[in-house]
Amino acid sequence: MAGRIRQSDVDEVKARTNIADIIGERVALKPAGIGAMKGLCPFHDERSPSFNVRPQAGFYHCFGCNESGDVYSFLRAMDHVSFTEAVERLAGRIGYALHYEDGGAAPETTGRSRLYAANGAAAEFFRAQLATTEAESARRFLGERGFDAGAAAHFGVGYAPKGWSNLRDALHKLGFTDEELSSAGLVSQGQRGVYDRFRGRAIWPIRDVTSQVIGFGARKLYDDDQGPKYLNTPETPVYRKSQVLYGLDLAKRDISRDHRVVVVEGYTDVMACHLAGITTAIASCGTAFGSDHISVLRRVMGDDSASGEVVFTFDPDAAGQKAALRAFGDEKRFAAQTYVAVAPGGLDPCDLRLQRGDGAVRALMDTKVPMFEFVIDQRLAGFDLSTVEGRAGALRAAAPIVAEIRDPSLRPGYVRVLARRLGLDLGEVRGAVERAARSGGSHPAGERQAPSEPQTGDGESAVRLTISSLPRTAEVALERDALMGILQFGHRLEPTLLARSVSVPFRHPALEAVRQCVAAAPDVSRPGWAADAVSAVREPYRSLAAELLTADFPALTDEAAAVSAASLARRLVARTIDREKTELLGAIQRVPPDSQEGRTIRVRLREVDAERQLFAADL
């Protein structure tokens, strides 16, 4: 069997292939603005075309169903072929001779069983190491959190020794190659060669729903460890963090039976809950709890009615509140009722069990409040309810939340709850909620949904950001239009201008997520760079990035579009410079004019004025 296709060949075949030719064999495409084509989407039924193709970027996106990708993903979806087969098919089409790396497994087609086997062997190695003398620090770490040897064995907790190649050497003896260990995320490649990824850490094996080990979570134990507090397996063919839930293998039977799941924030919290008798607890692994996790849970729960329960536990601090609002954004994906439980004193389940016992952890579930009530309280917390202005602002902020309650039998009750919280007349609050319902409700971050939401496979409405959902302010409009111009015509911009324009964070979080990936692009002159940048944007902002890349850019000619993109980039630079100048002018008022600091500020002011003339001469 041929090995892995060289990445350089994969990139070359994609660069030489016109994606419009491939899609055009299945979809009637017509010109739609500068450098774009449009047709009826092949992934869902529609009457008016919303499927956009941008040949220069090698990218497609449907504004109706949100499908997007490159020429390889299109072939894989339409023809149900593997990645390797898609590359080979296009290479044959253009007469390109592919080169293979000897001994490598074809991507996503072979070798998965070896990855499972390598992870399973690693789990056994780590578990055995927990009994060694060196692992005293790991045993002490577990003991201080209330976990004995029996608890460690139940969850398969282990220890990764400090050396650079202990795991590698052990798995070599079992016949695993460095390539297999690298593909499994067990080793890393450095300047001095291959070395163990996990060293000197407590280790939790992460299993899929079939109980196969697919990755690991590792907690640092030593002060001289310069790595992050928690280190997880990187993305591999078998480990996708957006779809992985720690503890699901142990919790799945009770989740299915009880139609109840408890979402906690860490490995030790899962252990504490299970040991206390809450055996439906799970946690996400190294990433925020998101829509893919919900899809996994719904399948396990049999979540087809409102009889189930999903209980989130959050810290009451700012990070916990942010996590709660993020979960609220996905709440509608559950048919089950959603709740929030916050322990007294802000303790997480692990600390709660350690300080107050198993009974306190079980009692935590009795303190749960409905997700809507929790989010309403979070919204109201930012307003001074003792003033008329504060109550009015709080009503505007909280009414859309009540308007989004999908159960019509619950909404009147929450209208009364909100009226009591605000001390307002029931009719006034009911009217505000009804107006919010007519206008389409609100996301927890305050952003409007698109007028027409696509449907997911199970009939639920997908929650995603779109260009039309962005706030209609001048600042956001500049960031939006500039990113659109840069993604579509960045290869036509002067490199220094491009780099400077995306060097400063944007105000809007979704556009900032896109900016980060654009700024990180290594070579904008390379065909397909924008598609790669879009693919790198984190969820839930990737679909917005795809829209920015494929939306119609207002210009009559390609040259005019490039000029407009450059002008927008210069406006970004000017905005950044003007902000700094304002800060400097304020600072110079606060220092003596003849001081060294004052002289330094005046020098910087002259530099800022010169920089503005350089980058924004035509503004």
Side-chain angles (χ1 to χ4, degrees):
M1 178 181 295
R4 188 196 311 270
I5 301 172
R6 290 181 186 174
Q7 185 60 43
S8 58
D9 284 356
V10 173
D11 296 339
E12 185 66 22
V13 169
K14 183 162 65 171
R16 294 191 187 189
T17 300
N18 186 335
I19 190 173
D21 292 341
I22 304 302
I23 295 177
E25 294 176 350
R26 298 164 174 81
V27 178
L29 297 175
K30 296 181 179 179
I34 301 300
M37 307 187 79
K38 183 178 289 188
L40 292 174
C41 180
F43 299 107
H44 81 290
D45 293 331
E46 60 177 0
R47 294 188 177 183
S48 58
S50 59
F51 183 76
N52 284 30
V53 180
R54 191 159 287 277
Q56 173 67 33
F59 194 80
Y60 64 85
H61 176 76
C62 177
F63 285 74
C65 71
N66 204 36
E67 286 287 339
S68 61
D70 62 11
V71 67
Y72 295 138
S73 62
F74 182 83
L75 279 182
R76 295 183 67 185
M78 295 302 297
D79 297 345
H80 306 289
V81 297
S82 69
F83 178 81
T84 298
E85 291 168 331
V87 178
E88 290 174 339
R89 182 177 298 185
L90 291 179
R93 181 186 179 104
I94 64 175
Y96 184 88
L98 295 172
H99 303 85
Y100 296 82
E101 298 174 359
D102 293 338
E108 301 185 45
T109 58
T110 64
R112 293 175 70 91
S113 61
R114 292 292 289 171
L115 300 188
Y116 287 124
N119 278 308
E124 291 299 320
F125 172 82
F126 292 138
R127 185 160 59 177
Q129 291 297 308
L130 188 62
T132 63
T133 302
E134 183 189 324
E136 169 60 27
S137 57
R139 295 192 296 272
R140 184 170 59 252
F141 171 86
L142 293 169
E144 290 172 349
R145 285 155 181 77
F147 305 126
D148 58 16
H154 180 68
F155 289 92
V157 183
Y159 174 73
K162 283 187 171 183
W164 292 91
S165 63
N166 290 287
L167 175 64
R168 180 190 178 211
D169 294 342
L171 295 191
H172 276 183
K173 292 178 181 178
L174 296 177
F176 293 100
T177 66
D178 280 344
E179 184 175 1
E180 290 171 333
L181 300 183
S182 178
S183 295
L186 296 170
V187 298
S188 300
Q189 177 71 49
Q191 292 181 348
R192 298 184 179 181
V194 176
Y195 59 92
D196 291 351
R197 176 178 177 83
F198 304 111
R199 307 178 307 282
R201 290 176 172 252
I203 298 284
W204 284 264
I206 299 170
R207 301 181 176 91
D208 63 14
V209 73
T210 67
S211 299
Q212 295 190 92
V213 180
I214 57 175
F216 297 91
R219 207 273 191 190
K220 78 174 182 178
L221 301 169
Y222 303 106
D223 292 338
D224 60 355
D225 186 338
Q226 300 301 309
K229 183 176 180 180
Y230 281 96
L231 180 66
N232 285 75
T233 294
E235 296 281 304
T236 75
V238 299
Y239 182 86
R240 297 283 188 267
K241 65 183 179 181
S242 65
Q243 301 171 5
V244 174
L245 290 166
Y246 176 72
L248 185 59
D249 57 308
L250 299 174
K252 62 182 179 182
R253 183 179 62 182
D254 290 348
I255 291 174
S256 178
R257 181 193 64 204
D258 300 339
H259 302 287
R260 185 193 202 192
V261 64
V262 176
V263 182
V264 298
E265 294 189 327
Y267 307 122
T268 56
D269 293 332
V270 171
M271 293 176 69
C273 285
H274 279 251
L275 294 173
I278 302 176
T279 55
T280 60
I282 53 87
S284 58
C285 300
T287 187
F289 185 85
S291 58
D292 286 345
H293 297 124
I294 291 174
S295 298
V296 172
L297 279 181
R298 291 196 64 191
R299 289 195 294 268
V300 176
M301 289 179 70
D303 182 33
D304 55 1
S305 71
S307 61
E309 287 186 3
V310 181
V311 181
F312 293 90
T313 64
F314 297 115
D315 292 334
D317 59 14
Q321 293 175 17
K322 184 177 180 181
L325 294 176
R326 191 165 50 232
F328 174 71
D330 280 328
E331 186 270 346
K332 293 181 288 299
R333 288 180 173 270
F334 283 113
Q337 296 300 316
T338 55
Y339 299 86
V340 175
V342 178
L347 299 174
D348 58 34
C350 180
D351 289 336
L352 183 64
R353 176 176 179 265
L354 188 62
Q355 296 184 22
R356 306 188 186 185
D358 290 346
V361 179
R362 292 191 295 271
L364 175 61
M365 296 302 105
D366 297 330
T367 68
K368 69 182 186 291
V369 296
M371 174 73 82
F372 280 103
E373 185 173 331
F374 181 84
V375 173
I376 287 172
D377 288 340
Q378 294 296 315
R379 282 293 181 85
L380 299 186
F383 295 91
D384 181 1
L385 301 184
S386 66
T387 67
V388 173
E389 292 80 5
R391 290 191 294 273
L395 178 59
R396 287 193 298 270
I401 297 172
V402 179
E404 286 191 352
I405 296 177
R406 63 180 179 274
D407 188 340
S409 66
L410 293 178
R411 191 179 299 166
Y414 278 103
V415 171
R416 289 191 291 272
V417 168
L418 182 57
R420 286 197 301 270
R421 294 279 204 280
L422 297 176
L424 295 176
D425 179 74
L426 182 62
E428 181 180 357
V429 174
R430 183 185 295 113
V433 171
E434 290 174 351
R435 288 192 297 274
R438 288 194 296 271
S439 66
S442 170
H443 287 293
E447 298 175 57
R448 295 280 303 277
Q449 284 188 341
S452 177
E453 287 284 356
Q455 296 293 311
T456 60
D458 55 10
E460 298 244 334
S461 182
V463 179
R464 61 184 176 92
L465 286 171
T466 66
I467 290 176
S468 61
S469 72
L470 293 171
R472 296 182 179 181
T473 66
E475 182 132 328
V476 170
L478 173 59
E479 295 177 354
R480 176 199 66 204
D481 294 346
L483 278 179
M484 188 184 301
I486 289 169
L487 281 168
Q488 297 182 20
F489 301 98
H491 60 287
R492 299 283 302 276
L493 301 186
E494 198 275 325
T496 303
L497 171 62
L498 174 59
R500 184 71 173 86
S501 66
V502 295
S503 63
V504 176
F506 285 0
R507 295 288 180 86
H508 193 279
L511 297 173
E512 166 61 10
V514 182
R515 181 206 66 81
Q516 290 177 6
C517 293
V518 171
D523 180 11
V524 300
S525 66
R526 177 180 57 84
W529 77 270
D532 292 341
V534 167
S535 298
V537 175
R538 69 181 188 276
E539 295 293 2
Y541 305 131
R542 192 173 301 151
S543 62
L544 173 63
E547 289 194 4
L548 292 170
L549 174 57
T550 54
D552 293 343
F553 189 75
L556 296 177
T557 66
D558 185 74
E559 186 62 33
V563 171
S564 178
S567 177
L568 288 164
R570 281 191 287 271
R571 288 175 60 190
L572 284 179
V573 176
R575 183 182 70 170
T576 299
I577 294 172
D578 290 344
R579 285 176 181 170
E580 182 180 0
K581 183 173 182 178
T582 299
E583 293 172 359
L584 290 170
L585 290 173
I588 203 169
Q589 301 299 319
R590 298 189 293 270
V591 300
D594 58 348
S595 66
Q596 179 60 43
E597 186 176 0
R599 288 191 290 271
T600 300
I601 293 175
R602 285 193 293 275
V603 169
R604 180 55 189 158
L605 276 169
R606 289 194 292 271
E607 293 173 348
V608 165
D609 286 336
E611 189 176 12
R612 197 185 198 286
Q613 290 182 357
L614 175 65
F615 280 101
D618 64 339
L619 294 179

